[in-house]
Amino acid sequence: MGIFSVLALPLLLLGISGIIYIYQSVRWLLSKSAVQNKVVVITDAISGLGKECSRVFHAGGARLVLCGRTWEKLEALYDALISVTDPSTTYAPKLILLDITDISCIRDVAKEILNCYGCVDILINNASMKVKGAVQSISLELDKKIMDANYFGPITLTKAILPNMISRRTGQIVLINSIQGKIGIPFRAAYAASKHAAVGFFDCLRAEMEEFDISVSTVNPTFICSYHRQPAPGNWEASIWKFFFRKVSYGVHPVEVAEEVLATVSRRKQEVLMANPIPRAAVYIRTFFPELFFAIVASGIRERLKTEEEN
């Protein structure tokens, strides 16, 4: 009886781990089967997240159309994808040059995209541009550039692809956005504004497209970290806001986000928030207790300025 009591907990944990592993494996297989033979367009495919999205969708048997600003990087991605997959079960990706900030050229590029396979089943809006600085230090020209990359670019491409989906009464549109589309973080005003605008647009689009059986999804991670970057230690971590900000800086890895995008497509989720409990709580505090949220943010700014003055 004593030995059984000692082994009960490890065996229980082992059993739970096995069930979780089986569940995740089955979900992964179902996610892959959901995109097999589907025409999937990925913007900014040459970014860290774009590469991981390309990898998981390519492995799932999707017919990829990869968009990026640099032809050499697109070719390198193409070579990397076809070198690690079975050509009998996957499709060679199509490559398209696209600068999402060049709004005037997007409609012509959309025609090139549609010419690849004659349709688009899944559009993944991944391209994004960041900027950090005080409001008064960011020029209006840079504000406009951020809006082009994060708002006008994605919606222009979406509008160009949309008639094809509506005529077929099927399709999926995914926006990889940011938690800053839910809450504004100081010194990122232009970025947060563009992300808020994108969320508003795609929320409205979701409702309008329901009658055509076109699903619209938004994936909102906190911060997508690079492959090798580690979060820098903070020297101003005393307040609640500082603790939250440091938690945001850890972010999520591109592999995690790419796998979540695949799961979002397969399960047709409407909205996903990829955040640990601290920034997730901040979203709810902003919604239900806005005055408390604003007070925490203001406190963080005052203490940061004080720390900078002391240094």
Side-chain angles (χ1 to χ4, degrees), residues 107-289:
R107 290 191 177 275
D108 291 333
V109 174
K111 293 177 182 177
E112 289 184 52
I113 291 172
L114 290 170
N115 286 337
C116 289
Y117 290 104
C119 67
V120 170
D121 295 306
I122 302 165
L123 170 62
I124 300 176
N125 287 296
N126 169 56
S128 183
M129 181 180 292
K130 298 178 181 179
V131 65
K132 181 180 178 180
V135 169
Q136 67 272 20
S137 67
I138 303 297
S139 67
L140 188 58
E141 288 72 20
L142 184 53
D143 284 336
K144 291 178 178 178
K145 190 172 183 179
I146 294 296
M147 287 299 294
D148 282 344
N150 298 346
Y151 176 69
F152 287 111
I155 73 164
T156 302
L157 181 60
T158 298
K159 286 187 172 187
I161 298 296
L162 207 53
N164 179 272
M165 292 184 174
I166 291 175
S167 66
R168 297 165 56 236
R169 301 188 73 85
T170 184
Q172 290 181 263
I173 299 169
V174 179
L175 171 70
I176 301 177
N177 207 48
S178 168
I179 193 174
Q180 293 186 58
K182 296 291 186 181
I183 55 175
I185 297 178
F187 304 107
R188 292 162 176 81
Y191 181 75
S194 66
K195 294 301 183 178
H196 273 75
V199 165
F201 178 89
F202 283 92
D203 280 355
C204 295
L205 182 65
R206 180 184 298 113
E208 293 180 24
M209 291 299 106
E210 188 172 347
E211 66 172 302
F212 302 109
D213 200 26
I214 297 171
S215 69
V216 177
S217 307
T218 54
V219 179
N220 304 287
T222 50
F223 165 76
I224 301 174
C225 57
S226 66
Y227 288 96
H228 307 294
R229 180 179 177 181
Q230 297 296 324
N235 61 352
W236 47 290
E237 301 172 4
S239 71
I240 297 174
W241 171 250
K242 294 170 187 177
F243 179 66
F244 162 66
F245 186 85
R246 187 167 182 270
K247 286 292 183 181
V248 171
S249 69
Y250 280 100
V252 288
H253 196 277
V255 172
E256 297 177 67
V257 182
E259 291 176 351
E260 183 56 53
V261 171
L262 180 63
T264 297
V265 167
S266 65
R267 298 166 65 182
R268 300 175 78 91
K269 298 179 185 178
Q270 293 182 335
E271 185 175 62
V272 176
L273 180 61
M274 298 186 70
N276 62 42
I278 300 301
R280 187 181 293 270
V283 173
Y284 291 108
I285 292 172
R286 170 64 180 85
T287 302
F288 298 107
F289 307 100

Side-chain angles (χ1 to χ4, degrees), residues 1 32 36 92 97 115 139 231 249 288 304 310:
M1 185 68 179
K32 289 178 65 176
Q36 191 170 16
L97 278 175
N115 286 337
S139 67
S249 69
F288 298 107
R304 177 174 183 176
E310 292 174 352

